[in-house]
Amino acid sequence: KNQVEQSPQSLIILEGKNCTLQCNYTVSPFSNLRWYKQDTGRGPVSLTIMTFSENTKSNGRYTATLDADTKQSSLHITASQLSDSASYICVVRETSGGSYIPTFGRGTSLIVHP
Amino acid sequence: DGGITQSPKYLFRKEGQNVTLSCEQNLNHDAMYWYRQDPGQGLRLIYYSQIVNDFQKGDIAEGYSVSREKKESFPLTVTSAQKNPTAFYLCASSYPRSMNTEAFFGQGTRLTVV
């Protein structure tokens, strides 16, 4: 069964510090991996997408990496801000008869303290 | 503005009652999805629809029903057969057959059984 495992489950950091979130997956055949940010009580919003051939992609203070050989991805947040407090969800999409069904991780809850 | 809208934001239901959650999108997306999110859990797929008048069960379809009579609308009915319906429900839409397509989420409906 396809699985997406995220770590840590929760993380507390001080404003201005950096942090890295991890995502390991077993989804196959792999199509793409996307990181979402979900504020409390809201729907998730896409931060970045990684395809098989991409190793690193940045979106402002967010940098995602992908190692398709080891099936691992990370999301690095630089110079954290209070507004970064949210749940970060890793979503891996497989190809299944052209349906591209996504598998969601449980998310990492990030709290940024002043 | 293009987007996906869920209503209501909060919903209370008495035990034994059916209740319908609304999801509407004006993004011209063919695919629509319903997910359930419980505290500390990842998003779990309830139902999805790739095209009008067609839908498929997800991982936790028991106790739920859907319809897709229009491209823009994908309502979810939580029936009395769903034993633990209290949760946060998210609707999403996307282009189904585009490999890197982003799923856009609504703001969610929080259902509480009283």
Side-chain angles (χ1 to χ4, degrees), chain B residues 7-113:
Chain B
S7 61
K9 188 171 177 64
Y10 299 96
L11 189 58
F12 295 88
R13 188 196 90 173
K14 292 183 179 180
E15 284 193 31
Q17 285 183 336
N18 292 355
V19 64
T20 297
L21 283 60
S22 170
C23 179
E24 304 277 335
Q25 54 96 4
N26 60 6
L27 300 167
N28 200 34
H29 286 166
D30 291 307
M32 297 187 74
Y33 310 82
W34 273 106
Y35 293 93
R36 170 180 172 143
Q37 188 175 37
D38 295 285
Q41 300 286 325
L43 274 69
R44 292 184 290 170
L45 182 64
I46 304 172
Y47 269 97
Y48 66 99
S49 169
Q50 305 264 21
I51 196 170
V52 175
N53 292 324
D54 185 59
F55 49 83
Q56 306 295 329
K57 292 182 179 180
D59 299 321
I60 55 167
E62 184 175 352
Y64 300 97
S65 66
V66 294
S67 62
R68 187 81 188 279
E69 297 176 1
K70 299 186 301 182
K71 187 176 185 177
E72 301 80 16
S73 179
F74 191 41
L76 173 74
T77 297
V78 184
T79 74
S80 56
Q82 170 50 238
K83 298 306 179 187
N84 186 21
T86 295
F88 188 56
Y89 290 87
L90 283 163
C91 179
S93 70
S94 72
Y95 289 112
R97 300 190 186 284
S98 172
M99 180 161 43
N100 297 331
T101 185
E102 175 181 349
F104 289 85
F105 286 83
Q107 294 303 299
T109 293
R110 186 167 298 281
L111 173 64
T112 303
V113 174

Side-chain angles (χ1 to χ4, degrees), chain A residues 5-65:
Chain A
E5 300 289 341
Q6 291 188 244
S7 62
Q9 184 175 354
S10 59
L11 185 61
I12 301 174
I13 62 174
L14 292 176
E15 186 178 13
K17 298 296 185 181
N18 303 337
C19 67
T20 301
L21 314 180
Q22 299 289 344
C23 174
N24 297 339
Y25 62 92
T26 63
V27 175
S28 182
F30 175 83
S31 175
N32 62 67
L33 182 149
R34 195 180 286 270
W35 284 93
Y36 283 85
K37 178 185 179 186
Q38 184 181 20
D39 292 314
T40 300
R42 309 293 293 271
V45 176
S46 177
L47 291 174
T48 185
I49 181 174
M50 307 290 290
T51 58
F52 187 86
S53 60
E54 295 175 308
N55 300 118
T56 304
K57 183 176 286 187
S58 292
N59 177 9
R61 294 180 297 101
Y62 300 101
T63 299
T65 67

Side-chain angles (χ1 to χ4, degrees), chain A residues 50-103:
Chain A
M50 307 290 290
T51 58
F52 187 86
S53 60
E54 295 175 308
N55 300 118
T56 304
K57 183 176 286 187
S58 292
N59 177 9
R61 294 180 297 101
Y62 300 101
T63 299
T65 67
L66 175 67
D67 186 334
D69 292 331
T70 62
K71 299 187 176 181
Q72 296 179 325
S73 176
S74 66
L75 180 69
H76 185 76
I77 304 175
T78 305
S80 60
Q81 300 176 358
L82 299 179
S83 59
D84 291 333
S85 295
S87 179
Y88 292 84
I89 303 171
C90 175
V91 183
V92 183
R93 197 177 278 263
E94 66 166 312
T95 57
S96 175
S99 297
Y100 304 108
I101 302 300
T103 301

